[in-house]
Amino acid sequence: GESVGLHLPTLSVQEGDNSIINCAYSNSASDYFIWYKQESGKGPQFIIDIRSNMDKRQGQRVTVLLNKTVKHLSLQIAATQPGDSAVYFCAETEAGGYQKVTFGTGTKLQVIP
Amino acid sequence: DTGVSQNPRHKITKRGQNVTFRCDPISEHNRLYWYRQTLGQGPEFLTYFQNEAQLEKSRLLSDRFSAERPKGSFSTLEIQRTEQGDSAMYLCASSPRQSGANVLTFGAGSRLTVL
């Protein structure tokens, strides 16, 4: 299928190494931050979220770090596997209302076997 | 329920023709969203429904675009008099009304190519 990764920043990682994907956001009113993974030909898939009153949250092999001072978000993937190859998007949403989710620019992760 | 379903998956049309996309959300989700994604970009918000009510429309949604969600179940997105700039992936997502993060479940998308 057609790749959604063209013209995107690309991170190449050796299989088994850890990956760190970064994201900057601009809306100080955002209440939740969410990471999505998008594989070629598919819609984005939820990975993990973090609330603005937290600075770290861990999932299975993934950790999200939030630095509100510099408006920076990162996704760490431990022991990166070939199946992790995809485009990763950070997204933000405000509390209240209908919580529109706004997506940032993606990063393409290439895992080298 | 196997998730969010979108049809057709691919549509090729000539400029000036009308096209319609359908989205079937997860049945218990009352929130439904349409996004547009072009190559190399993140999804851009188009419109939002809560049940059958269309509560928000992006400035990206010109008057050639119309979306409906009759009875608060499936939704359709129609583009009239298509232009080459409409070529994109149209993504539908749904979510339940709940506290916490608004976690969207996306369909696989409908890819539109306007010749």
Side-chain angles (χ1 to χ4, degrees), chain B residues 26-89:
Chain B
I26 293 173
S27 56
E28 59 266 30
H29 287 184
N30 62 347
R31 295 175 169 180
L32 187 146
Y33 303 78
W34 284 98
Y35 282 79
R36 180 173 68 188
Q37 186 175 33
T38 53
L39 206 59
Q41 301 295 318
E44 297 173 296
F45 170 80
L46 292 179
T47 191
Y48 159 74
F49 289 86
Q50 183 164 304
N51 300 312
E52 67 276 9
Q54 187 175 20
L55 300 184
E56 183 72 15
K57 291 173 62 174
S58 165
R59 289 188 301 274
L60 294 174
L61 218 62
S62 75
D63 55 8
R64 296 185 296 107
F65 288 70
S66 63
E68 295 182 341
R69 192 184 183 195
K71 304 178 183 178
S73 55
F74 72 92
S75 176
T76 57
L77 177 67
E78 181 183 16
I79 309 174
Q80 295 182 326
R81 306 180 302 281
T82 52
E83 302 173 356
Q84 288 185 326
D86 297 331
S87 295
M89 175 76 84

